[in-house]
Structure formats: structure tokens, C-alpha cells
């Protein structure tokens, strides 16, 4: 018997969404602070192995006049939290390698799940998320905030209204100089137990594809009429981390002598069933300016956010729009999420508008029994590039097939 899919999944409305946060480090504590500004939520539980993080979270709850939350600070206590029937949503902000295990267990306990990017680090774990979400009929949303970037949403609006014509190619990236964070103490912005550095010593490919890929897949209606079919990937040699460690610790230091599998720059090309192409890049170890590319090519126009926002439309000639004309077009096609929820974020002086929109939309949909903006198939399709890009790199950049996590249902949506 064919298992029912969870495309456009709706669940009973939850008037007040009761949340348990797992992982209260750099990302988790910022998420908790944002949720203090949302209506219709209650923080029921806090989970982290470091008691100082729990104490910091408790202080935030007190500061905003919120009720005390149950604390889970022992090894493996996240399971107890997931079992708590007074929690509706488990919000996961732990390290990459633990996302799937926590999410799957939470779904099995009847909880909805929101988990940080990437949702999974292997194709097998992507299938675990999909299978469990389908079995339990619970929401599983990857927290890809870049889909709520104002420029990305404006682009989406223009694509959906046909302004750019038929979309044939797009580009996404995560280019962000993170070298100092690889070696810094956690309190100084480093990663807990240097987990990202250890991962880079053992793996290659693109381990963080979703920031660049998420908006692109929404522009292209991936699993909503098209799907990613196969990819090829290649990586440059690794020199950036060792060189940086040599500068900071000395060329003869143990840190500088470490070897890394992860190339400085990974470039992945993806082909869709309908013949569209996607260029995806990853670079966190060279001194390049920050970029997510956010580039889209259509038969009537072209848009890109980085390095400089650009819009070119056939009907306006061969030069990119600039000045008042550019601003007028961006205002005309401003997405409702940006115009309404983004404006609310600005009124509240939120530090990152796209994070606020993402959280607002998640809670709004749960409270009103609506399908989420991102579903478990998005989480799986965007995250599986991690393993598949590494597989292609290690096999000499051969084409690698991308699984159809919807089991053919992308054709019908």
C-alpha cells in the first residue's frame, strides 16, 4: 500500500504553541530571544548540556516576564523533553550531526519539529526524516531563513507573476569567511567542541548547501512541478584553514599542521528534470566578501543580489535598472511577507528581519492549521546535497543522481 505523502500537510490548529528548545548555544539563544516577541507561544522547556546556557535562557524568560520553563541539562535528556505531552513543537539548534536523531524521535513522540540547517548530513538521514514525517503526519520544517530574505522574496514574487519569463538557470551560495570561528573558544564565537573543524578534517563537498539552494528551489518550484535530477561537484585544494592557523598560532604549530579534507571552494552544478540548471558554491575559508549569489536567469529578465543588487528586464532595454526606476520595481513587487511581517520586525528593532519572518510564519501556520512554507521534502532535498556533492568530488566529479523524496508526487502538485 502506498504511504500517503505530506505535501500540503495540515494539522489541527494550536491556539498557543508550546515549545521546547534543544541547544541554547550561539544560534539557539538568539532564537529564544526572537520568540519573546511573538504572540501565541509559550516556552515550556529548555535543553542544553551546558548549565550556563540554561541559566542564560532562564534570564531571558524572566526579563520578558515569561513563565519558568522545565530544564533538561543531562546527557540524553532531550528524549525526556520530546516525550513531554505538554510540548507541541521541538525547536532544534544543536550541531549538524545531531539534528536528525532528535527530529526523528520528536516526530515519533507526536511533536512537530523545526530544526536548524542542514536538516540531515546523509541521504539515509534525509529518508529517515521523510519516512517519519509521513508515518506520524507531523510537520518537519528546516529553519532555512534565507528563503525569507527581502530580495529573495521579491524575486519569488516576480518569478510567480511571470515578470522574468521562463526560469532556466539560477545560482546560490554560502560564501562567508569563518576562519576565526574554526579556532576560537565557544564564548568568543567559536563552535562547541570545535565540531565544524573536526567535520572539515573528515569530509569534502558542500556541507552547508541550503542557504544558497533554498531560495533557488522556491523560484524553480522544486517538488512542485519540477525536481532536481542529478549533480556534479568539484572542490579546490584546501589551504585556507592551515594558512590561517599558521598566521594565528605560528607556522610550526599543531593547528597549522592539521590536514583538512574540505576544499577551500566547492562548486556544484545541479540539473533538473525540466532542464534547468543550478550553480551552488560553498566557501568559508578564504577572504572573499560575503555572498549568497541569489542569481536567477529567465527568458525575459535577470536578477541578482550579490555583489550588487541588479535587475535587468527586456522591456526596459539592455541596461540594468538603476536609481528610482530600480527602487520603484522593487517596491512594486515587494512580497507581502516583507511588506507586513518584515515591517513589524523593523518596528520591533529585530536584528535580522528574515529570521523574524521565518519564526512568525511557522507559528502563524501552526496556530491556524495551515501548511508550512517549507516541508519535510524541502528539508530532505536541500540537505541531501551534502552527501551527494562529497560523493561526486571523491569519484572525480562524476554525475550523481538526486533521490526523489516525494516518490513521484512532485508531478501532481
Amino acid at each position: 500500500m502506498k504511504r500517503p505523502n505530506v505535501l500540503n500537510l495540515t494539522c489541527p490548529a494550536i491556539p498557543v504553541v508550546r515549545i521546547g528548545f534543544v541547544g541554547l548555544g550561539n544560534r539557539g539563544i538568539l532564537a529564544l530571544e526572537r520568540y519573546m516577541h511573538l504572540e501565541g507561544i509559550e516556552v515550556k522547556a529548555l535543553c542544553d548540556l551546558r548549565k550556563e546556557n540554561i541559566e542564560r535562557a532562564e534570564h531571558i524568560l524572566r526579563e520578558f516576564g515569561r513563565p519558568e520553563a522545565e530544564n533538561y541539562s543531562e546527557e540524553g535528556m532531550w528524549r525526556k523533553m520530546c516525550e513531554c505531552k505538554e510540548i507541541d513543537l521541538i525547536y532544534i539548534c544543536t550541531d549538524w550531526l545531531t539534528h536528525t536523531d532528535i527530529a526523528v524521535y520528536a516526530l515519533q513522540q507526536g511533536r512537530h519539529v523545526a530544526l536548524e540547517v542542514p536538516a540531515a548530513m546523509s541521504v539515509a538521514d534525509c529518508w529517515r526524516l521523510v519516512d517519519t514525517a509521513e508515518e506520524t503526519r507531523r510537520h518537519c520544517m528546516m529553519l532555512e531563513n534565507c528563503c525569507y530574505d527581502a530580495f529573495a522574496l521579491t524575486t519569488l514574487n516576480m518569478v510567480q507573476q511571470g515578470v522574468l519569463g521562463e526560469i532556466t538557470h539560477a545560482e546560490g551560495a554560502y560564501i562567508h569567511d569563518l576562519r576565526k570561528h574554526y579556532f576560537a573558544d565557544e564564548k568568543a564565537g567559536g563552535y562547541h567542541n570545535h565540531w565544524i573543524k573536526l567535520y572539515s578534517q573528515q569530509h569534502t563537498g558542500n556541507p552547508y548547501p541550503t542557504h544558497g539552494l533554498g531560495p533557488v528551489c522556491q523560484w524553480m518550484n522544486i517538488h512542485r512541478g519540477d525536481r532536481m535530477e542529478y549533480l556534479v561537484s568539484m572542490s579546490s585544494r584546501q589551504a585556507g584553514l592551515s594558512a590561517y592557523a599558521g598566521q594565528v598560532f605560528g607556522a610550526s604549530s599543531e593547528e597549522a599542521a592539521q590536514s583538512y579534507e574540505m576544499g577551500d571552494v566547492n562548486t556544484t552544478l545541479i540539473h533538473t528534470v525540466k532542464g534547468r540548471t543550478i550553480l551552488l558554491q560553498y566557501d568559508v575559508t578564504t577572504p572573499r566578501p560575503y555572498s549568497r549569489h541569489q542569481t536567477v536567469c529567465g527568458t525575459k529578465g535577470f536578477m541578482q543580489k550579490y555583489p550588487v543588487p541588479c535587475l535587468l528586464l527586456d522591456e526596459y532595454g539592455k541596461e540594468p535598472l538603476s536609481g528610482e526606476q530600480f527602487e520603484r520595481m522593487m517596491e512594486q513587487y515587494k512580497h507581502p511577507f516583507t511588506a507586513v511581517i518584515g515591517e513589524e520586525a523593523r518596528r520591533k528593532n529585530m536584528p535580522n528581519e528574515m529570521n523574524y519572518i521565518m519564526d512568525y510564519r511557522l507559528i502563524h501556520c501552526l496556530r491556524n492549521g495551515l501548511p508550512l512554507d517549507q516541508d519535510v521534502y524541502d528539508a530532505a532535498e536541500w540537505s541531501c546535497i551534502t552527501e551527494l556533492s562529497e560523493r561526486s568530488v571523491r569519484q572525480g566529479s562524476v554525475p550523481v543522481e538526486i533521490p526523489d523524496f516525494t516518490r513521484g508526487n512532485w508531478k501532481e502538485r
Side-chain angles (χ1 to χ4, degrees), residues 23-322:
L24 293 161
N26 297 331
R27 188 72 181 163
I29 207 72
L30 292 174
L32 178 65
E33 288 177 341
R34 293 195 306 273
Y35 270 76
M36 298 298 96
H37 298 273
L38 292 177
E39 297 179 0
I41 70 102
E42 183 179 347
V43 177
K44 296 294 290 186
L46 303 168
C47 180
D48 196 287
L49 292 174
R50 292 145 294 182
K51 290 187 177 180
E52 61 268 26
N53 287 352
I54 294 279
E55 291 170 358
R56 188 164 53 148
E58 289 176 327
H59 174 76
I60 290 170
L61 293 179
R62 289 193 299 270
E63 184 181 11
F64 283 88
R66 298 276 185 169
E68 289 186 6
E70 191 75 24
N71 293 341
Y72 298 85
S73 59
E74 301 297 325
E75 184 76 41
M77 286 294 284
W78 57 266
R79 292 184 178 84
K80 290 290 185 184
M81 191 181 79
C82 292
E83 293 164 4
C84 177
K85 297 188 186 309
E86 293 185 357
I87 294 175
D88 304 302
L89 172 68
I90 299 293
Y91 198 103
I92 302 167
C93 296
T94 56
D95 68 83
W96 292 345
L97 298 177
T98 58
H99 288 177
T100 306
D101 285 345
I102 299 173
V104 166
Y105 191 77
L107 291 168
Q108 290 171 339
Q109 305 312 306
R111 312 295 155 243
H112 299 298
V113 167
L115 67 167
E116 267 294 349
V117 301
M121 300 301 287
S122 69
V123 174
D125 277 351
C126 289
W127 277 115
R128 286 174 63 202
L129 288 174
V130 169
D131 290 344
T132 308
E134 290 180 344
E135 290 164 2
T136 61
R137 313 295 295 175
R138 289 293 180 267
H139 289 299
C140 178
M141 173 177 164
M142 183 171 64
L143 296 162
E144 186 38 79
N145 60 349
C146 293
C147 291
Y148 299 92
D149 170 84
F151 194 93
L153 285 171
T154 298
T155 305
L156 177 64
N157 199 16
M158 295 179 77
V159 167
Q160 291 177 335
Q161 295 195 41
V163 177
L164 303 178
E166 181 185 350
I167 304 306
T168 56
H169 174 80
E171 300 178 9
Y174 186 64
I175 298 170
H176 190 183
D177 185 358
L178 297 178
R179 291 173 295 174
K180 67 178 182 181
H181 299 287
Y182 272 72
F183 304 100
D185 181 82
E186 185 176 357
K187 293 180 180 178
Y191 300 95
H192 180 58
N193 292 334
H194 299 289
W195 60 264
I196 194 171
K197 183 176 72 171
L198 296 174
Y199 187 89
S200 298
Q201 291 171 353
Q202 301 167 3
H203 295 275
T204 186
N206 183 340
Y208 204 66
T210 71
H211 280 343
L213 191 57
V216 168
C217 286
Q218 292 192 330
W219 301 338
M220 289 188 172
N221 285 329
I222 295 301
H223 87 244
R224 298 162 174 87
D226 196 1
R227 77 172 185 88
M228 296 186 290
E229 186 178 23
Y230 64 88
L231 63 76
V232 294
S233 185
M234 65 177 63
S235 294
S236 72
R237 65 182 293 266
Q238 208 297 307
L241 287 174
S242 299
Y244 183 84
Q247 295 171 20
V248 175
F249 303 104
S252 60
S253 71
E254 182 178 342
E255 288 286 3
Q258 296 278 1
S259 62
Y260 296 88
E261 291 285 313
M262 192 72 62
D264 279 350
V265 180
N266 174 268
T267 301
T268 299
L269 289 171
I270 300 170
H271 190 273
T272 77
V273 170
K274 290 194 171 182
R276 298 169 173 142
T277 54
I278 302 168
L279 183 149
L280 194 63
Q281 277 201 330
Y282 173 77
D283 173 8
V284 298
T285 58
T286 71
R288 291 169 73 180
Y290 182 91
S291 175
R292 297 197 303 274
H293 286 345
Q294 288 195 4
T295 299
V296 59
C297 302
T299 55
K300 296 180 181 178
F302 166 88
M303 286 188 75
Q304 72 173 21
K305 181 175 181 180
Y306 299 93
V308 178
C310 176
L311 170 61
L312 192 153
L313 298 172
D314 274 350
E315 62 180 296
Y316 289 93
K318 295 184 178 180
E319 295 299 323
L321 303 185
S322 60

